[in-house]
Amino acid sequence: MPAFAVPAFVLSWWLAGYLIGRDPGRPALRWASAGLIAYAVAVVTWTTAPGSRTAQILICLPALAWAGSVVALLPLAPAERRPIDIGALVLGVSFQLMVVALPGAGKLVALTPLVGALVLLWRNHEQVVPRSLPLALSLMAVLYAGSLAVLLLPVDTGGPAPALAANGLDLLVFGYLIAVAHAMAGGERLRPDLRRSVVAGFAVLVLVGGPAMLTMYATRGDDTVAVLQFVPLAVAATAAGLTGRLSRLIDRVALAGDDRLRQDRATLFLNADALLRLRERRRLAEVGEPEFLRLTRRALDDFNDLNRLSRSPLTDLPVVARRVAGRGDDQPRARARELRAVLREAVSALRPAGAFGTSDDWRYYNTLQFCGVLGLNPYARRQRLDGLSREARMAVDWFRRNVPRDTMQQWQREAAMVVAGRLWTEAFSGDRSRHAMPNPS
């Protein structure tokens, strides 16, 4: 069992850390990481208490996390997103309670939310990126369900290790597919960054996992020693998956008294991370209008996050290139600052003439300027309005009193189309008719 348990634990824990490290703010990545961690803990439990009730409960948790990740990938309009998210959370908790209460094969009910999530994904498959994602996830779900059934049903397969290994392989592939979906949605490269992290993960498996495995064989039957071997494995695998973020965290502690040095190093870390994930330089005209619109919408959502903006393909816009030319600082962070300035100017161009207003002509500007550029949340329970202009205060009050959250989010999507259309036209003005963006109104 140690020959299987150690590699399965290290690889699943490492991939969980890698997915979180890519972007902790993305729900799909968080759910996928939760499922991998649940599987890693289940492996430890099956190693010390194979077939126990606790082990069976833990091995079912990845299915629920997988369902949550698939729901997060759904390309839904704001009006549809909120009820589905709430429903998914309620159903997830309900089925988790059923998993705890039901015996043996009854725990397969944990697969129900996953089936429902995949059905929703297939219904929206035309808007999913990449297009083959629903099919790939469905195939892995079928294989995962088969291995889970073997573990929970009274089937003699020569021990739990083969089924657990198949289960873990399915989850590793699932985690990879989620990383691919995240990278493609953001217009990023995955392979160089993933390859670098894979090397670190296998280094942990050999340098730390090897001694741990030998120790477990030498102390066979001692469950306490066996469990303790997984602690340094978890620490090392976390470090391998979160290399960049841990380096920045160490700097915050070790260089707390030198702000300038810490900020300079943070900039270097950001540039290094972005270089691994930026796509090769290419003309944005090749991406097509739908992808350009999606990238613009994501850039507006990430307006106040330079880390994310530095990885956006929109940093290759001609207007951004012109702004950084001749400055001697053509690094990802510098391009992100210029992209943010371009987006700010595009939003300002939406402002109607005259004093602040709340008519239909103002809805796009108000939504992007106050909820995007300024990063205000009118629906927060505790509003912090200190230092805001009178106009910003009026906008927050108007949103809170008169504009439902779903309506505001829909306006954001429509306003992003307008901004994307202007950026597209400015970038490719030589062929305006071919590159015309749709009018949201």
Side-chain angles (χ1 to χ4, degrees):
M1 192 70 174
F4 149 75
V6 170
F9 180 89
V10 169
L11 293 178
S12 57
W13 200 283
W14 154 76
L15 185 55
Y18 174 75
L19 293 177
I20 282 290
R22 279 193 68 84
D23 196 338
R26 303 299 182 191
L29 297 179
R30 293 200 303 266
W31 279 113
S33 296
L36 288 163
I37 290 175
Y39 171 77
V41 175
V43 167
V44 176
T45 308
W46 279 85
T47 302
T48 56
S52 65
R53 185 168 179 270
T54 301
Q56 290 183 345
I57 292 173
L58 289 172
I59 203 62
C60 292
L61 293 183
L64 300 174
W66 190 341
S69 189
V70 173
V71 168
L73 291 175
L74 294 175
L76 301 175
E80 301 172 315
R81 166 62 63 186
R82 193 174 182 185
I84 286 184
D85 284 346
I86 294 175
L89 181 61
V90 172
L91 286 175
V93 173
S94 301
F95 278 98
Q96 176 57 41
L97 294 175
M98 294 173 66
V99 167
V100 173
L102 292 174
K107 298 184 188 302
L108 289 173
V109 72
L111 295 171
T112 306
L114 177 57
V115 173
L118 289 172
V119 169
L120 291 176
L121 191 67
W122 274 105
R123 288 179 59 186
N124 297 273
H125 71 278
E126 293 183 355
Q127 304 175 51
V128 174
V129 178
R131 290 291 182 87
S132 59
L133 184 65
L135 177 60
L137 289 178
S138 298
L139 290 176
M140 298 315 302
V142 171
L143 296 175
Y144 172 82
S147 61
L148 187 62
V150 170
L151 287 170
L152 297 178
L153 295 174
V155 179
D156 185 10
T157 58
L164 279 173
N167 203 270
L169 180 61
D170 296 336
L171 288 172
L172 290 174
V173 174
F174 165 72
Y176 170 73
L177 292 174
I178 296 299
V180 169
H182 171 260
M184 292 193 67
E188 302 176 8
R189 279 197 299 175
L190 175 64
R191 188 174 300 174
D193 184 48
L194 179 60
R195 187 165 59 234
R196 178 177 177 273
S197 189
V198 165
V199 171
F202 274 97
V204 169
L205 179 58
V206 173
L207 299 177
V208 184
M213 195 185 308
L214 293 175
T215 301
M216 292 171 68
Y217 276 116
T219 58
R220 189 186 298 272
D222 193 330
D223 291 343
T224 301
V225 173
V227 170
L228 288 176
Q229 298 310 303
F230 290 102
V231 176
L233 288 176
V235 173
T238 300
L242 295 171
T243 304
R245 294 187 178 273
L246 285 179
S247 298
R248 292 193 287 273
L249 178 61
I250 292 172
D251 274 8
R252 288 186 192 139
V253 176
L255 305 176
D258 195 335
D259 292 341
R260 182 174 180 179
L261 177 58
R262 190 174 70 252
Q263 291 172 2
D264 288 344
R265 284 178 56 83
T267 299
L268 290 174
F269 280 128
L270 187 150
N271 286 332
D273 181 59
L275 288 172
L276 282 172
R277 295 163 64 172
L278 276 172
R279 284 184 179 177
E280 299 90 344
R281 293 279 170 85
R282 60 191 176 111
R283 293 190 310 113
L284 281 175
E286 298 175 3
V287 304
E289 294 176 10
E291 186 176 357
F292 190 88
L293 171 59
R294 182 172 60 253
L295 294 174
T296 303
R297 184 186 304 147
R298 176 163 287 209
L300 288 168
D301 289 341
D302 299 337
F303 183 87
N304 293 297
D305 191 330
L306 274 181
N307 287 2
R308 292 176 177 172
L309 282 182
S310 66
R311 303 190 296 264
S312 172
L314 295 187
T315 55
D316 286 337
L317 279 169
V319 63
V320 173
R322 288 194 297 268
R323 287 172 178 246
V324 300
R327 296 189 180 182
D329 184 15
D330 192 11
Q331 294 298 318
R333 189 178 183 89
R335 283 182 169 260
R337 290 196 194 96
E338 296 303 331
L339 173 59
R340 186 158 65 181
V342 169
L343 293 174
R344 183 184 289 110
E345 292 170 6
V347 171
S348 297
L350 299 177
R351 181 186 175 103
F356 172 79
T358 57
S359 63
D360 285 348
D361 292 340
W362 283 82
R363 67 184 189 274
Y364 290 162
Y365 170 77
N366 288 342
T367 301
L368 290 184
Q369 174 64 21
F370 299 108
C371 302
V373 173
L374 296 184
L376 302 177
N377 180 9
Y379 310 99
R381 292 185 178 181
R382 295 183 179 180
Q383 290 288 343
R384 299 187 63 179
L385 304 179
D386 298 340
L388 293 181
S389 65
R390 178 174 177 273
E391 193 173 276
R393 291 170 182 264
M394 292 171 61
V396 169
D397 183 68
W398 174 66
F399 273 111
R400 186 170 57 243
R401 292 174 181 272
N402 302 289
V403 183
R405 185 193 298 266
D406 293 342
T407 301
M408 183 273 291
Q409 293 173 341
Q410 184 61 37
W411 287 354
Q412 280 185 320
R413 292 168 65 91
E414 295 173 0
M417 293 178 67
V418 176
V419 171
R422 295 190 177 187
L423 293 177
W424 183 274
T425 301
E426 291 176 4
F428 314 110
S429 56
D431 191 1
R432 297 193 179 191
S433 61
R434 175 176 178 268
H435 300 301
M437 296 292 275
N439 188 340
S441 60

